[in-house]
Amino acid sequence: MKIFSTPGFSNVWALNLSNALAASIMTLMILVGSLVGAELAPAAEWATLPIALTVIGTAVSILPATSCMQLLGRKNAFLAFMALGTFACWLASAALAQQSFSLFCIASVLLGATNAALVQTRFAAMESVAPEHGPTAASLMMCGGILAAIIGPELAVAGAHLTAVDYQGSYWLAAATVILAAGVLTFYKPTVAVVKQQATTARSSLDILRNPTFVLALSSGAIAFAVMSFVMTGTPISMHHIYGHSLIDTKWVIQSHIAAMFLPSLIAPLLFKKLGIRGMMVAGLLCYCVTIAIGYFDTSVKGFWIQLVLLGIGWNFLFVSGTALLPRTYEEQDKFKGQAINDLTVFTFQALASLSAGWALGLISWQQMLLICLLPIVMMLVLLLIETRISRRDKHSH
């Protein structure tokens, strides 16, 4: 395959494997976070707080992570945040030993901060290749999530009873995996981008946000994460605690969901050619609609499995589309600002969705939670129609 020999893709593979290993701490948290929360939290409605705090940690750390990359460079910043992730895993294990919910919450925030740097690897990968290969690089980076989807939950289960304290060993194994990821990252060689001479001054954040195409790219990622996180965060409690399905079945559904988030990336370059970026966004929204329909009527293990797989596919289509469109909406000197605005918005929406999931499960039914998700889906569809109309009008005027 030509892709293996294309300049810059050796960086993509190094970033891919390193990120897949390090990101397993997040997939571990998806399975274990709410279960540990249910055991340690002072009240049932706080069970999903650790997962929500992980996402909040990501959101509030986007700007520091981006600034760190500007000061230290991509590689050094990635290594620094991986060290933080290793410490966070140790802190989580200490919290479990002490049965301290507050300490576990602090560890969750630090894991989220680590993730703030890890999510930037997709931009580092796209910067390593020619612009026309950007969507392919982004898709390949998403494929690394398949490995993370397998490793994280397996670490959780393998370490669950490694010590006398449930799940303490899970975080020990996660720390070792992050250290391994840092070793793989040493093969990454950062590229130096050339800024065009005519691009003299950077634009303000407001100027960047005035671009309707930038808003569409940002919204695609934000709504992808908000809906996915709202449903996914509530699934372990809904499946295991409310509907009484086993932990093994719950693990299988979560693993399948995370794999479904990333497997479509294997064929994403082909889908981009067939459907285009905006067509992929429509396909993602359709997947979300079917997810809601199935989840509303079927709460069996099979129903949850189909629902969560479609949720993962819909997320992939929307998030990869937004990621692929984003670099087309700003100049080189605006990249860190544009990426920071995008990721800050995306992960703030995810944080709000995660935090409200546990609260919603305590107040309304699973079915009502799913119906709430129709609101952002309709909003995204309206944005897509408006941006498409503006883009066509601008093309005709030129």
Side-chain angles (χ1 to χ4, degrees):
M1 289 177 69
K2 287 183 180 179
I3 199 73
F4 287 95
S5 58
T6 303
F9 270 90
S10 58
N11 264 351
V12 175
W13 300 121
L15 286 164
N16 195 336
L17 180 56
S18 174
N19 188 58
L21 290 168
S24 64
I25 60 174
M26 299 305 293
T27 57
L28 179 145
M29 275 297 290
I30 289 166
L31 179 63
V32 173
S34 60
L35 299 177
V36 170
E39 293 296 322
L40 300 182
E45 57 265 29
W46 294 106
T48 61
L49 182 62
I51 292 180
L53 287 174
T54 303
V55 184
I56 291 168
T58 300
V60 299
S61 302
I62 290 294
L63 293 178
T66 307
S67 298
C68 190
M69 285 175 196
Q70 282 183 290
L71 290 170
L72 305 177
R74 295 277 197 198
K75 186 173 184 175
N76 290 334
F78 288 143
L79 289 170
F81 276 85
M82 284 179 183
L84 177 65
T86 305
F87 171 74
C89 289
W90 172 82
L91 195 64
S93 72
L96 286 164
Q98 297 174 28
Q99 292 291 287
S100 171
F101 184 64
S102 57
L103 196 60
F104 188 74
C105 286
I106 293 170
S108 300
V109 173
L110 295 180
L111 286 170
T114 304
N115 190 51
L118 296 180
V119 296
Q120 297 283 315
T121 55
R122 70 193 195 277
F123 296 124
M126 293 172 75
E127 289 161 11
S128 296
V129 299
E132 62 269 22
H133 296 305
T136 302
S139 298
L140 287 171
M141 286 302 298
M142 303 297 285
C143 289
I146 300 167
L147 190 57
I150 297 167
I151 295 172
E154 289 300 334
L155 292 176
V157 174
H161 306 297
L162 205 60
T163 72
V165 181
D166 284 355
Y167 301 113
Q168 184 183 43
S170 304
Y171 287 95
W172 288 359
L173 295 175
T177 306
V178 177
I179 292 169
L180 179 61
V184 173
L185 189 67
T186 59
F187 292 97
Y188 162 58
K189 297 175 182 176
T191 53
V192 180
V194 178
V195 181
K196 295 176 184 177
Q197 289 299 312
Q198 64 267 31
T200 52
T201 57
R203 291 185 297 163
S204 69
S205 298
L206 193 59
D207 283 338
I208 294 171
L209 283 165
R210 284 197 182 105
N211 182 346
T213 306
F214 179 86
V215 174
L216 177 65
L218 179 151
S219 300
S220 188
I223 289 170
F225 264 103
V227 174
M228 182 276 294
S229 190
F230 190 64
V231 175
M232 182 191 65
T233 302
T235 294
I237 291 176
S238 184
M239 273 193 78
H240 192 49
H241 287 244
I242 297 175
Y243 291 104
H245 300 306
S246 72
L247 179 61
I248 297 299
D249 284 336
T250 304
K251 183 198 80 165
W252 167 240
V253 166
I254 293 297
Q255 279 182 309
S256 299
H257 161 71
I258 300 170
M261 287 170 67
F262 302 104
L263 275 172
S265 295
L266 294 171
I267 58 168
L270 294 174
L271 292 173
F272 273 114
K273 286 181 182 178
K274 291 282 185 183
L275 302 175
I277 289 175
R278 289 162 186 80
M280 288 278 281
M281 289 178 179
V282 173
L285 292 172
L286 284 173
C287 285
Y288 273 3
C289 288
V290 179
T291 291
I292 292 166
I294 291 171
Y296 188 86
F297 293 107
D298 191 351
T299 55
S300 66
V301 173
K302 184 180 178 182
F304 271 108
W305 185 84
I306 296 171
Q307 176 191 356
L308 269 290
V309 165
L310 282 171
L311 183 74
I313 294 170
W315 175 86
N316 181 282
F317 287 176
L318 286 166
F319 186 60
V320 176
S321 298
T323 297
L325 185 60
L326 196 73
R328 304 182 185 187
T329 64
Y330 50 71
E331 298 295 337
E332 174 62 28
Q333 74 273 12
D334 296 319
K335 73 174 183 181
F336 283 112
K337 187 178 288 184
Q339 291 164 12
I341 293 169
N342 179 77
D343 281 5
L344 179 62
T345 305
V346 166
F347 293 106
T348 298
F349 270 82
Q350 188 190 9
L352 291 171
S354 296
L355 191 58
S356 60
W359 171 76
L361 272 174
L363 292 177
I364 59 178
S365 69
W366 179 242
Q367 285 76 16
Q368 288 170 322
M369 275 184 68
L370 294 173
L371 289 179
I372 289 172
C373 296
L374 287 172
L375 183 61
I377 291 170
V378 171
M379 288 172 60
M380 174 69 193
L381 189 59
V382 171
L383 278 170
L384 186 57
L385 290 170
I386 292 171
E387 191 277 340
T388 302
R389 183 173 293 178
I390 291 171
S391 294
R392 284 177 180 170
R393 187 188 65 198
D394 289 347
K395 282 181 183 177
H396 286 308
S397 64
H398 288 301

